[in-house]
Amino acid sequence: EVQLVESGGGLVQPGGSLRLSCAASGFPFRFYPMSWVRQAPGEGLEWVSTITITAGVGSTYYADSVKGRFTISRDNAKNTLYLLMNSLKTEDTAVYSCNTSYFGGQVRGQGTQVTVSS
């Protein structure tokens, strides 16, 4: 069974940092591009970042709203995806989920809540 399980969310003050993790199982993680998406209260799903299967320059992509503040990475040996979030803003408050396309369908975890508030 393909499974994605996120962790690391929580309550943080504006300007703070969090690191999210996504544990993948049930498919050959290292061969799949992975993404983070988020959904704020009352809003639609928003793409945040994508990492390809190869490391190095040009392998990561970011939404303009998070560029320069968020860093996506992966550890293929641990089948884990990460999102380091710095300089958090109140508008970053959302449920964050990891996502991949598997055999033509989208697979997404249940998400982890990130709340940025003073």
Side-chain angles (χ1 to χ4, degrees):
E1 178 187 3
V2 175
Q3 196 169 17
L4 299 171
V5 180
E6 301 89 346
S7 61
L11 173 64
V12 62
Q13 291 186 341
S17 298
L18 280 175
R19 190 178 81 154
L20 306 183
S21 299
C22 169
S25 61
F27 68 103
F29 174 79
R30 65 189 181 278
F31 294 131
Y32 285 79
M34 296 294 298
S35 297
W36 285 98
V37 297
R38 67 186 181 185
Q39 188 163 20
E43 302 290 332
L45 204 61
E46 177 189 14
W47 170 75
V48 174
S49 181
T50 294
I51 186 167
T52 64
I53 62 174
T54 56
V57 176
S59 68
T60 57
Y61 305 88
Y62 299 93
D64 288 344
S65 58
V66 307
K67 198 173 296 182
R69 300 187 297 122
F70 289 11
T71 303
I72 190 171
S73 62
R74 64 191 300 162
D75 185 337
N76 289 338
K78 295 182 179 180
N79 286 353
T80 302
L81 176 73
Y82 301 100
L83 185 68
L84 176 61
M85 305 185 296
N86 294 321
S87 302
L88 282 162
K89 306 175 181 180
T90 55
E91 52 262 44
D92 294 319
T93 295
V95 175
Y96 285 72
S97 304
C98 53
N99 171 277
T100 193
S101 177
Y102 185 73
F103 279 96
Q106 294 297 313
V107 180
R108 188 164 71 242
Q110 290 191 327
T112 185
Q113 176 70 47
V114 172
T115 302
V116 185
S117 175
S118 55

